[in-house]
């Protein structure tokens, strides 16, 4: 059945929208001294997120790219490692624009040390009680307080693909989920 011009136009618009939706913010880690060498090169080759001192110290760069082709496109750049999706280790970890804004806001507006973890939140749940953080900048985030390497960490999920550990969680206040809900219902929070 032949398509008229109107149907062809709609198909083209859908294809362009699909392509746009495939591009997400991918997290790339560049450890050590290679960071200062690779970041300017990657900024010329890919669309990148504006850098900040806090993100530079962690060795991360955020590339807007199709996650399915990111691994192949980073091969020429030795030392640039895309972080893996914590639910599906075969795919790169991705963030939406709003999730990336939250991540950078937490890093820039607080003295929390954030680490992106390899496993999803359920991996850290065993034997731990879920809690809700009641301090900014991660107010309302649900996660677990876990001892890792002798430190008290608050581990929470930023998205379906990224789990974060705030390594200096001793500075934050937490409530159990039941107490948080009661406080919220009574207008205290």
């Amino acid at each position: 059945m032949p398509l008229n011009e109107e149907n062809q136009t709609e198909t083209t618009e859908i294809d362009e929208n699909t392509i746009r939706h495939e591009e997400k913010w991918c997290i790339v880690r560049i450890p050590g001294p290679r960071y200062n060498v690779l970041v300017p090169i990657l900024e010329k080759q890919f669309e990148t997120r504006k850098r900040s001192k806090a993100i530079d110290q962690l060795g991360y760069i955020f590339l807007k790219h199709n996650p399915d082709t990111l691994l192949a496109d980073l091969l020429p750049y030795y030392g640039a490692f895309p972080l893996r999706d914590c639910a599906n280790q075969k795919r790169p970890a991705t963030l939406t624009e709003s999730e990336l804004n939250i991540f950078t806001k937490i890093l820039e507006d607080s003295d929390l040390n954030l680490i992106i973890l390899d496993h999803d939140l359920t991996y850290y749940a065993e034997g731990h009680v879920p809690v809700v953080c009641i301090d900014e900048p991660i107010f309302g985030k649900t996660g677990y307080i876990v001892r890792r390497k002798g430190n008290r960490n608050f581990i929470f999920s930023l998205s379906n693909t990224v789990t974060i550990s705030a390594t200096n969680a001793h500075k934050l206040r937490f409530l159990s989920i039941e107490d948080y809900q009661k406080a919220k219902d009574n207008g205290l929070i």
Side-chain angles (χ1 to χ4, degrees), residues 106-121:
I106 293 170
L107 278 175
E108 293 170 358
D109 296 347
S110 71
D111 58 349
L112 290 176
N113 298 323
L114 300 182
I115 297 172
I116 299 174
L117 301 173
D118 295 334
H119 300 287
D120 64 347
L121 193 58

Side-chain angles (χ1 to χ4, degrees), residues 57-146:
Q57 288 175 342
L58 292 174
Y60 296 131
I61 184 170
F62 300 98
L63 306 178
K64 190 157 199 169
H65 202 280
N66 182 339
D68 296 327
T69 61
L70 181 67
L71 292 172
D73 293 343
L74 281 178
L75 278 177
Y77 307 102
Y78 177 76
F81 306 103
L83 295 182
R84 301 295 183 153
D85 181 332
C86 59
N88 178 0
Q89 291 288 314
K90 294 181 180 180
R91 291 185 51 85
T94 59
L95 295 173
T96 63
E97 187 74 34
S98 62
E99 292 164 345
L100 185 55
N101 290 338
I102 291 168
F103 183 76
T104 54
K105 183 180 185 293
I106 293 170
L107 278 175
E108 293 170 358
D109 296 347
S110 71
D111 58 349
L112 290 176
N113 298 323
L114 300 182
I115 297 172
I116 299 174
L117 301 173
D118 295 334
H119 300 287
D120 64 347
L121 193 58
T122 57
Y123 178 85
Y124 301 98
E126 188 175 334
H128 298 95
V129 178
V131 294
V132 179
C133 183
I134 58 170
D135 283 333
E136 290 296 336
I138 52 176
F139 177 82
K141 291 285 185 192
T142 302
Y144 301 94
I145 298 174
V146 178

